[in-house]
Amino acid sequence: MKKFIILFITTFYFVGSNAQEKQPNVLIFYIDDLRAELGCYGSKTAITPHIDKLANDGILFNKAYVQQAICAPSRMSMLTGLRPETLGIYSIFTPLRKVHKEIVSIPQLFNKNGYKTVSIGKVYHHASDDKNEWSTYFEKEQNSYYKPENIEILRHLKEEGKPLKGPAFENADVADDAYKDGRAAKYAIEKLHKLKDDKFIMFVGLSKPHLPFNAPKKYWDLYDKNNFEIPSRKKPEDAYRLALSPWGELKAYSNIPGKGNLDDDLTRNLIHGYHASVSYVDAQIGKIMKTLNNLDLRKNTMIIFMSDHGYKIGEYASWCKQSNMEIDVRIPMIISRETDHKNRNTGKISNALIESVDIYSTLVEVCNLKGAPKTDGKSILPIMENPSKKWDKAAYSVYARGKKIMGVTTTDGDWRYTEWRNSLTHEILGAELYQHKNNLLSYKNLSGNSDFTSVEQRMKKLLEKEFPRDSNPFLQNDIPRNN
């Protein structure tokens, strides 16, 4: 009898400890400038078979949002679990570690928990941030051009001492790894072979479809540019004067006029290039996923696919991101649990309101990490276990217009309410109320419309839960430029 009791206790301890210590690998596809318009999101134009397959193998989040629609603050927010207003950084010009030495980031925490940490391509916006915290670090590469006429343009720009921004798109007939995302996929595949016996977290930062839309010709050939419709150039009626940016990011490229709307032909070329770039990225994801499966790593590797923010390709007569509009702050997000996870969900869609700031806390819980700091997000593991579970009532984002004006915004999934405030006093300078439901676009600001007073008051209360009017001035550790 005594022997039985000892055996039972020993067995219980072993099983309990093993369950407690189980720590899956994590592979995160972190895509730049990818809007929530893919085959799996109902797009009639995007050709994305590998991403669609991943969605069918996990949970597609239909209402996922970033905390700011611009690269650096959005990525910092995800990698630290802290909102831009907590970090006090709202522009692309200030590295995280220039301001915050004390914050424990995702790579730091995984390092402390015995993981191999891998950064490939564009993960942080600033290459200097946490460069030494990664076990393996493949730095983001520069853009490249291969067509002779484009190389000549760059030569002239260099001779004239101008910024080396060539054309906004290129379709050279080259192999995938001629452009940097193909090389990033190659690095990821090589590293997976070396990590097959290790515990790891790998970020694969794919730069396309960020400008310039340079992708191998075979991905351009998937589309007929004449089949692309020109988006409405109608701007949201009665929008705040600074609601949209003047899209200087696109105008910096050599073949883009500095003033006025783009003509239909150039618009179609850009839309074509954006789609080709998305399909190019999709193919790289397919290669990496094939390797993961061939190495039998999928059974213990959770996959996260996400973007750093949305994007406009001509909607509202505007381009790029840099706003609080739904199309800019909503992102595609797919999470697929490791295949040996007993409660994994596949082929599911969740309409829960989640935020990229939640990823940190989610990883902490999924991977049983010790020593995690307090964050502004919360684990979405309950949604991953039950995609239809009721969740948060709102998601929040910000966008600064210079140092004196802050745009704060919230959505309840159907409505988006934005206030433009004095950054110091929280005085409301303008307000916007848009109805969206499942649409990325809305063309009428309904703020102040008596037919929607009750909706606006409800949304206003949701906004003030996160951004009280009697708060201190917004923390500003950088000085963002006007857009």
Side-chain angles (χ1 to χ4, degrees), residues 224-243:
D224 180 348
K225 87 168 190 178
N226 295 314
N227 291 337
F228 291 113
E229 295 183 4
I230 302 298
S232 169
R233 295 188 176 99
K234 180 181 177 182
K235 293 181 181 293
E237 189 178 337
D238 298 323
Y240 180 65
R241 63 184 181 85
L242 297 176

Side-chain angles (χ1 to χ4, degrees), residues 438-472:
N438 290 318
N439 299 317
L440 288 170
L441 301 170
S442 184
Y443 292 95
K444 173 65 176 175
N445 176 14
L446 299 171
S447 177
N449 186 316
S450 59
D451 291 340
F452 300 95
T453 299
S454 61
V455 174
E456 183 163 13
Q457 288 303 310
R458 178 174 59 80
M459 295 301 297
K460 190 177 183 72
K461 287 179 181 178
L462 283 178
L463 186 72
E464 290 184 357
K465 283 184 178 180
E466 184 67 28
F467 305 106
R469 291 284 308 287
D470 58 357
S471 296
N472 292 326

Side-chain angles (χ1 to χ4, degrees), residues 282-341:
D282 177 81
Q284 309 320 303
I285 291 170
K287 295 175 189 176
I288 296 168
M289 289 299 299
K290 181 179 179 181
T291 301
L292 200 70
N293 286 311
N294 289 346
L295 293 173
D296 200 26
L297 287 170
R298 187 67 178 92
K299 65 184 180 183
N300 193 39
T301 303
M302 180 174 79
I303 311 296
I304 299 177
F305 168 90
M306 63 184 296
S307 176
D308 59 352
H309 42 67
Y311 202 78
K312 295 182 294 298
I313 47 176
E315 294 86 1
Y316 300 146
S318 188
W319 296 82
C320 308
K321 52 272 185 181
Q322 297 123 338
S323 86
N324 277 326
M325 293 295 184
E326 178 83 2
I327 195 170
D328 288 339
V329 296
R330 186 179 157 202
I331 60 168
M333 182 182 289
I334 299 164
I335 299 180
S336 179
R337 291 300 302 263
E338 56 277 21
T339 55
D340 69 356
H341 180 67

Side-chain angles (χ1 to χ4, degrees), residues 156-222:
H156 279 296
L157 290 171
K158 187 174 182 179
E159 286 179 352
E160 296 171 4
K162 294 180 179 179
L164 296 178
K165 291 274 191 179
F169 49 85
E170 182 183 84
N171 60 349
D173 193 2
V174 294
D176 283 13
D177 60 4
Y179 293 117
K180 59 183 176 180
D181 282 337
R183 293 192 293 273
K186 183 179 177 182
Y187 296 149
I189 289 167
E190 291 173 355
K191 194 62 188 176
L192 284 172
H193 280 275
K194 295 176 181 178
L195 288 171
K196 60 184 179 181
D197 298 320
D198 292 316
K199 188 171 60 175
F200 65 85
I201 179 170
M202 176 185 287
F203 279 79
V204 180
L206 298 173
S207 293
K208 298 303 138 190
H210 191 288
L211 286 163
F213 304 145
N214 292 359
K217 180 177 181 294
K218 64 181 178 181
Y219 298 105
W220 286 72
D221 290 345
L222 293 174

Side-chain angles (χ1 to χ4, degrees), residues 351-422:
N351 287 310
L353 297 171
I354 63 170
E355 301 173 289
S356 63
V357 77
D358 295 329
I359 295 298
Y360 194 124
S361 298
T362 304
L363 292 174
V364 168
E365 186 170 9
V366 168
C367 298
N368 295 307
L369 302 183
K370 307 301 181 187
K374 187 178 184 301
T375 68
D376 292 334
K378 67 179 184 180
S379 172
I380 61 168
L381 184 57
I383 299 295
M384 292 159 59
E385 302 286 351
N386 179 10
S388 61
K389 183 180 178 65
K390 288 188 177 180
W391 201 239
D392 290 348
K393 293 183 178 180
Y396 300 92
S397 306
V398 299
Y399 206 93
R401 295 295 187 206
K403 192 173 182 179
K404 296 180 180 179
I405 299 175
M406 181 65 73
V408 292
T409 187
T410 186
T411 181
D412 67 353
D414 290 335
W415 293 88
R416 175 163 297 284
Y417 178 68
T418 303
E419 287 181 356
W420 295 91
R421 297 183 183 179
N422 181 301

Side-chain angles (χ1 to χ4, degrees), residues 240-290:
Y240 180 65
R241 63 184 181 85
L242 297 176
L244 296 168
S245 81
W247 41 280
E249 179 183 358
L250 175 59
K251 292 174 183 175
Y253 287 84
S254 63
N255 61 338
I256 305 299
K259 295 180 180 180
N261 291 330
L262 305 187
D263 64 34
D264 286 359
D265 188 59
L266 183 52
T267 295
R268 279 199 175 90
N269 281 332
L270 287 165
I271 294 173
H272 191 177
Y274 185 88
H275 279 73
S277 297
V278 171
S279 291
Y280 171 49
V281 163
D282 177 81
Q284 309 320 303
I285 291 170
K287 295 175 189 176
I288 296 168
M289 289 299 299
K290 181 179 179 181

Side-chain angles (χ1 to χ4, degrees), residues 34-45:
L34 183 65
R35 59 202 249 152
E37 189 180 20
L38 305 162
C40 52
Y41 277 88
S43 173
K44 296 178 181 178
T45 51

